[in-house]
Amino acid sequence: MTTPLLVRAARGERTERPPVWMMRQAGRHLPEYRELRNEHSFREAIETPEIAETITLQPYERYDVDGVVMFSDILTCLEPLGFDYHIESGVGPVVPNPVEGPADVPADHRDVETELDFVYDLLDRLSASVAETDAVIGFAGGPFTLASYAVAGGADRQNGAIRRFRAEQPAAFEDLLERFADVVAEYLRLQVDHGADVVQLFDTYASVLPPADYEEYVRPLHRKILSAIDAPTILFVRGMGGRLEQLRTGGADAVSLDWTVDMENAREELGTTPVQGNLDPTLLFADPETVRSRTAQMIEAAGPRGYICNLGHGVGKETPIESVAAFVETAKNWEWN
């Protein structure tokens, strides 16, 4: 059985070229996705395995990336805890039953596999349809990021609601993060059982906490979640450029860097820890030749051991197809000197 290139890189191995995929590669920038979404709501698309499989495979078929990331959403983990959510056009996610006080923190969660069976059906399908040389990538939101949505009732750009909740209700804040951590650990463990080769934990907003609070509340939960996973793991927290040691010790096999981090400096600071990233997604709006040049600089700085080529965040909605193709092709055609 062939081990996917992406799995080898996540384990810290030297690879003949960097494996490449993109966060949010399945979706908004693809015309075939927009055509399909004209017929289905977002929730319908992610909760219907046949539709989600089609969307997941669209960038795989178009770009020949080294991994498919399941088409889903981090907010699915709200459901086992009894939270509802929907997507409002022009607004984004809305949670109509937010946490307003300690009494709203769930005491327990419903069965994760039953509640989110559509995700596991999707992964079963992907495992059967993706070449064994390529990776199926699962993911989940991290506990702080999920709690931010649950407390704010939706997207909260400054994460002010959850930070205030931490200050006013510290015990309830800690309980809420623990409840989400329990669900996420089970959710990711089952993703691996259903065929995910690699899983990524997106605790995107957690860096808004001061370093001491991150150390107290967040890092132990990351370690708890990731220690339960029997597959390579990747941790992404945006804005951790000055706190790479906290990221490195978060329990993941590899860390995903945003675009504000200098790749060469990160490699020196992180030592042998495998790294993913970190091209600025807005650079994909440049002409293809510029994309090739900047991607090559990044790959060269990252080096041949334990490196996964990716963006520093997700693909933007209006990103040109030809520039995305140039990014992927640069990695696929790379030869180490």
Side-chain angles (χ1 to χ4, degrees), residues 159-172:
N159 304 107
I162 186 65
R163 289 158 58 206
R164 178 175 173 176
F165 190 73
R166 169 209 55 183
E168 293 179 339
Q169 303 287 347

Side-chain angles (χ1 to χ4, degrees), residues 68-323:
V68 296
V69 57
M70 64 179 195
F71 180 70
S72 188
D73 194 270
I74 65 169
L75 296 185
T76 57
C77 279
L78 295 176
E79 296 181 51
L81 284 165
F83 297 106
D84 193 14
Y85 77 95
H86 61 271
I87 310 297
E88 287 189 10
S89 179
V91 175
V94 174
V95 181
N97 56 333
V99 174
E100 296 179 346
D104 299 319
V105 176
D108 203 352
H109 62 269
R110 299 192 289 262
D111 184 74
V112 174
E113 189 163 22
T114 301
E115 288 284 316
L116 304 178
D117 59 346
F118 52 89
V119 173
Y120 304 121
D121 190 340
L122 168 61
L123 287 167
D124 290 339
R125 291 167 176 269
L126 294 173
S127 297
S129 58
V130 172
E132 67 173 17
T133 53
D134 299 322
V136 174
I137 305 162
F139 69 89
F144 180 84
T145 300
L146 294 171
S148 179
Y149 281 101
V151 171
D156 181 6
R157 190 168 295 275
Q158 300 300 321
N159 304 107
I162 186 65
R163 289 158 58 206
R164 178 175 173 176
F165 190 73
R166 169 209 55 183
E168 293 179 339
Q169 303 287 347
F173 169 78
E174 193 167 2
D175 286 346
L176 183 62
L177 264 61
E178 288 277 2
R179 297 294 81 71
F180 275 118
D182 291 341
V183 169
V184 170
E186 181 71 358
Y187 182 49
L188 289 176
R189 185 187 66 76
L190 286 165
Q191 287 184 23
V192 174
D193 288 349
H194 285 268
D197 299 298
V198 179
V199 295
Q200 179 157 324
L201 182 65
F202 287 87
D203 216 345
T204 309
Y205 301 149
S207 64
V208 303
L209 288 175
D213 285 357
Y214 183 97
E215 194 75 14
E216 179 178 357
Y217 295 112
V218 175
R219 193 179 70 146
L221 295 183
H222 288 171
R223 295 182 67 86
K224 173 183 175 180
I225 292 165
L226 296 168
S227 67
I229 311 306
D230 188 22
T233 57
I234 304 169
L235 174 62
F236 177 75
V237 183
R238 192 171 59 195
M240 293 290 281
R243 298 155 63 176
L244 291 180
E245 180 63 14
Q246 285 189 317
L247 200 60
R248 185 188 70 80
T249 56
D253 296 298
V255 297
S256 189
L257 306 175
D258 75 5
W259 67 92
T260 66
V261 180
D262 179 83
M263 179 60 75
E264 188 171 358
N265 291 342
R267 283 303 236 175
E268 291 179 4
E269 188 170 343
L270 291 168
T272 59
T273 300
V275 166
Q276 176 177 273
N278 67 332
L279 192 76
D280 183 347
T282 64
L283 280 172
L284 295 181
F285 289 89
D287 61 275
E289 193 52 46
T290 299
V291 172
R292 292 187 186 96
S293 175
R294 294 296 293 271
T295 303
Q297 291 173 24
M298 177 182 69
I299 294 172
E300 190 65 49
R305 183 174 295 278
Y307 174 61
I308 301 166
C309 185
N310 206 316
L311 306 177
H313 203 244
V315 183
K317 183 177 180 180
E318 305 296 334
T319 304
I321 296 289
E322 57 271 20
S323 291

